[in-house]
Amino acid sequence: PPISVDERLRRIAKAQKLMQEKGIDALYLDCSSSMTYFTGLKYRRTERMHSAVLPAKGDIVHVSPAFEVEKLKTMLLFDGKINVWEEDEDPTAVVTETIKSLGYPRGTVAVDEATPFFTFDGLRKAGNSYTFVNGNDVTAACRMIKSDQEIALMQTAKNITLEAHKAAARILREGITT
């Protein structure tokens, strides 16, 4: 079975506990496997920023282009606030304003390690009252130890791969070409 909403919420709770222990006020998630890991959302990277802010305490906030909000609402697996940015706005400024609105006017923000530099640079310029650190300290610590559900999915993928290899091996013969 796919990863459940309950498991994703446990992942978020674990990340928040780690953030509190490490003195991190918020985790910025870009369009990456970490975004999918915590939210279930699968975005392809485009020139328009889709992201999420996970505060050390409280609910996750998604940051989306205004024209994508209705689509995003249909994709959400669990409730979360959505902050929007318009085409004439700097989306990284909307992210830093989101962090401020969550009660962190200054502090430490962990940045998803898969964030493109131009986005990080924008965050740094828009949020000069924050110290930015590598989000890997949070994301990797959460993802390192697999749940039973994750192990079952990995086993299913391995079983499918093995069957594909067996099928390919059955048709092999001398002189076969690609």
Side-chain angles (χ1 to χ4, degrees):
I3 301 297
S4 68
V5 171
D6 285 344
E7 181 163 338
R8 291 192 195 283
L9 293 173
R10 284 192 300 273
R11 292 171 176 182
I12 288 171
K14 181 177 181 179
Q16 289 176 317
K17 183 175 184 277
L18 286 167
M19 291 161 59
Q20 291 167 25
E21 289 170 1
K22 295 175 180 290
I24 295 171
D25 299 304
L27 171 64
Y28 168 81
L29 296 169
D30 204 82
C31 294
S32 69
S33 59
S34 289
M35 168 81 84
T36 305
Y37 179 82
F38 290 109
T39 69
L41 295 174
K42 295 179 184 177
Y43 286 114
R44 278 185 276 155
R45 194 175 307 282
T46 70
E47 72 280 359
R48 290 187 176 85
M49 186 186 77
H50 290 270
S51 61
V53 174
L54 177 59
K57 294 180 181 173
D59 295 331
I60 196 164
V61 179
H62 299 275
V63 179
S64 174
F67 73 94
E68 295 274 359
V69 169
E70 292 308 312
K71 178 181 174 185
L72 173 58
K73 287 178 182 177
T74 68
M75 297 167 59
L76 293 177
L77 299 179
F78 50 88
D79 290 337
K81 186 175 178 188
I82 302 172
N83 287 354
V84 300
W85 58 274
E86 298 290 344
E87 290 292 317
D88 62 339
E89 291 181 294
D90 174 4
T92 58
V94 174
V95 169
T96 58
E97 287 303 315
T98 297
I99 296 168
K100 285 178 189 167
S101 75
L102 292 168
Y104 304 104
R106 67 192 63 72
T108 302
V109 176
V111 178
D112 185 338
E113 61 274 16
T115 301
F117 180 76
F118 72 89
T119 301
F120 171 72
D121 194 42
L123 290 170
R124 187 175 53 183
K125 289 174 184 172
N128 60 13
S129 59
Y130 298 104
T131 300
F132 293 96
V133 297
N134 190 331
N136 194 50
D137 287 347
V138 176
T139 58
C142 289
R143 298 177 71 171
M144 192 175 299
I145 298 171
K146 305 299 182 200
S147 69
D148 290 343
Q149 244 181 324
E150 289 173 299
I151 292 169
L153 286 170
M154 292 167 67
Q155 186 62 55
T156 299
K158 288 174 18 178
N159 293 347
I160 292 168
T161 301
L162 179 60
E163 290 306 313
H165 282 273
K166 287 178 182 178
R170 283 193 294 272
I171 66 162
L172 290 179
R173 58 177 164 65
E174 190 175 327
I176 195 170
T177 66
T178 56

